[in-house]
Amino acid sequence: MREGMRHRPGINMTAGSPVGQTLHAQGARNLRAAVAGLRGEVRFKASLKDFTSFRIGGPADALVIPADLEDLCRLMRQVHDAKVPLFVIGGTNLLVRDKGIRGVVVNLAKLNAIHDEPDHVVYAEGGVGMPTLMKHAISRSLSGLEWAAGIPGTVAGCVVMNAGTRLGEMKDALKAVRLVDPRGQVVDCPASAVRFTYRRALLPRGIVVGAWLQLKPGSREKIEGVVKEYLRRRRDTQPLALPSAGCVFKNPPQDAAGRLIEAAGLKGARVGDAQVSEKHANFMVNLGQARAADVIALIKKVGRAVEEQTGVTLELELKIVGQP
Ligand code: EPU
């Protein structure tokens, strides 16, 4: 690598050829234009490992943590004008490939405000963690989020994937969603205009930056009791001490992926440092240095074995992103 190139973002590079170098320079200019003048944090070639619960993932060309909603709107406009790809990283149900993500990766960590509104409605910005929102609801004796006990994701992530457990799902509490559209405009969308399916919300194009949740008054002790019991059950059955991305596969109708994987004899199966958890077979854990390629190979191995032995084709719940 030539001196001076080291800190430049690598976009569309065809090494060596003059055309490749022109494309590279153009890509780098576009990337700089996309993130110019932002007040938040911008890091080039930032490792995404620390932004995923799996602790796996290659670099983002540029990682941006906008300072606030206005800063995010500016980023959206600039990204649109510069025609740079954009990806929002929540980080909990996600596997980032080893070569990382091209373009801008945005993290909403600083959009972390919670407001109480009349009639037991709570507004939470997209970067608020579900455990924080849960604590807020408990402190106000508000019921309606108990189903989310132990879900580590952000509010935005939980809206986008209609996160849920056997006790309920995001759509049950959602009143409306705030998005920033690809041109940087703020758009509010009632939940009645969104179609929800199993682990997916079909939203207008844009980034989810906040959600209004319709809760109901309840007994603080009762809510806390349900949450504690649910957290205890999770701790007993799930490998929460090791990095993972939660459940890897969706549950097939009338069955459980974990049961099928265990029945196929795959608990403890390994590729490199990626392992099918000994505690819950629908979790894969990172024993230390697992690469995305190891996890993907393990997913294929599990999928094949379950299909051969039970005839069931497992579908991924985990989202896999980044450059193949
Ligand atoms: N099971 C096994 N072996 C295992 C794991 C599970 O036989 O290794 C059996 C259990 O004995 C039980 C059944 O499979 O009869 C279901 O297991 P569990 O109660 O643990 O629930 P799950 O269906 O595997 C779902 C969600 C979890 C959520 C739990 C608790 C999905 C895909 N998974 O798991 O969500 O935490 O219920 O509500 O919907 C996630 O989405 O990332 C996630 C972990």
Side-chain angles (χ1 to χ4, degrees):
M1 186 184 285
R2 273 191 291 121
E3 198 51 40
M5 295 260 297
R6 200 166 295 142
H7 299 295
R8 285 204 195 146
I11 280 195
N12 293 337
M13 188 158 76
T14 315
S17 80
V19 174
Q21 280 164 18
T22 309
L23 278 175
H24 173 82
Q26 183 61 45
R29 267 197 301 278
N30 291 348
L31 190 66
R32 279 197 299 273
V35 301
L38 296 172
R39 287 176 288 113
E41 217 176 299
V42 178
R43 297 185 215 163
F44 292 105
K45 290 202 171 174
S47 166
L48 293 174
K49 260 190 190 145
D50 294 340
F51 289 84
T52 71
S53 59
F54 233 147
R55 298 281 173 264
I56 295 176
D61 287 332
L63 173 78
V64 179
I65 307 176
D68 50 27
L69 183 57
E70 195 190 328
D71 210 29
L72 176 64
C73 291
R74 176 178 182 143
L75 172 68
M76 288 295 273
R77 274 193 304 277
Q78 294 181 169
V79 158
H80 179 265
D81 293 347
K83 299 190 173 60
V84 169
L86 177 115
F87 177 75
V88 185
I89 193 158
T92 52
N93 209 252
L94 189 72
L95 178 65
V96 177
R97 288 194 176 93
D98 300 308
K99 288 184 186 160
I101 302 180
R102 301 291 68 82
V104 169
V105 173
V106 58
N107 178 268
L108 302 181
K110 288 188 181 149
L111 270 70
N112 60 0
I114 304 178
H115 305 292
D116 294 310
E117 298 203 350
D119 301 323
H120 317 297
V121 172
V122 172
Y123 177 76
E125 285 193 302
V128 171
M130 281 308 274
T132 306
L133 181 59
M134 176 87 72
K135 275 191 207 130
H136 182 91
I138 291 174
S139 74
R140 266 95 176 139
S141 303
L142 290 172
S143 165
L145 291 177
E146 293 85 328
W147 57 268
I151 288 188
T154 59
V155 167
C158 287
V159 169
V160 170
M161 69 169 295
N162 186 25
T165 61
R166 287 174 198 283
L167 284 189
E169 50 191 358
M170 198 63 179
K171 78 169 173 47
D172 303 336
L174 199 65
K175 188 169 191 278
V177 183
R178 171 162 287 175
L179 299 113
V180 175
D181 76 10
R183 289 174 187 280
Q185 301 294 321
V186 175
V187 179
D188 293 341
C189 173
S192 56
V194 180
R195 202 162 76 78
F196 297 95
T197 61
Y198 177 54
R199 301 295 165 264
R200 198 158 142 69
L202 302 172
L203 292 154
R205 284 186 66 209
I207 292 185
V208 172
V209 293
W212 284 269
L213 298 148
Q214 179 65 66
L215 305 178
K216 29 186 194 306
S219 137
R220 180 171 174 158
E221 273 145 42
K222 219 164 139 188
I223 301 166
E224 255 170 340
V226 174
V227 167
K228 275 200 184 127
E229 168 58 17
Y230 216 51
L231 289 176
R232 189 190 56 75
R233 231 188 310 152
R234 269 193 180 242
R235 264 196 306 274
D236 289 349
T237 60
Q238 300 181 357
L240 303 183
L242 287 168
S244 84
C247 283
V248 173
F249 298 100
K250 293 178 183 172
N251 280 336
Q254 327 302 338
D255 211 334
R259 191 194 72 73
L260 291 167
I261 299 166
E262 178 166 357
L266 286 158
K267 264 192 167 171
R270 261 177 90 163
V271 175
D273 263 357
Q275 184 185 43
V276 174
S277 164
E278 303 269 12
K279 205 166 176 183
H280 193 303
N282 197 14
F283 279 65
M284 288 182 186
V285 291
N286 177 1
L287 297 175
Q289 303 302 319
R291 295 168 310 137
D294 301 330
V295 178
I296 291 168
L298 191 56
I299 287 171
K300 286 188 180 147
K301 181 172 169 165
V302 167
R304 263 199 308 271
V306 168
E307 192 156 339
E308 274 166 22
Q309 295 185 38
T310 68
V312 177
T313 305
L314 291 176
E315 240 184 84
L316 273 185
E317 171 165 315
L318 179 72
K319 191 167 169 190
I320 302 179
V321 297
Q323 192 178 321

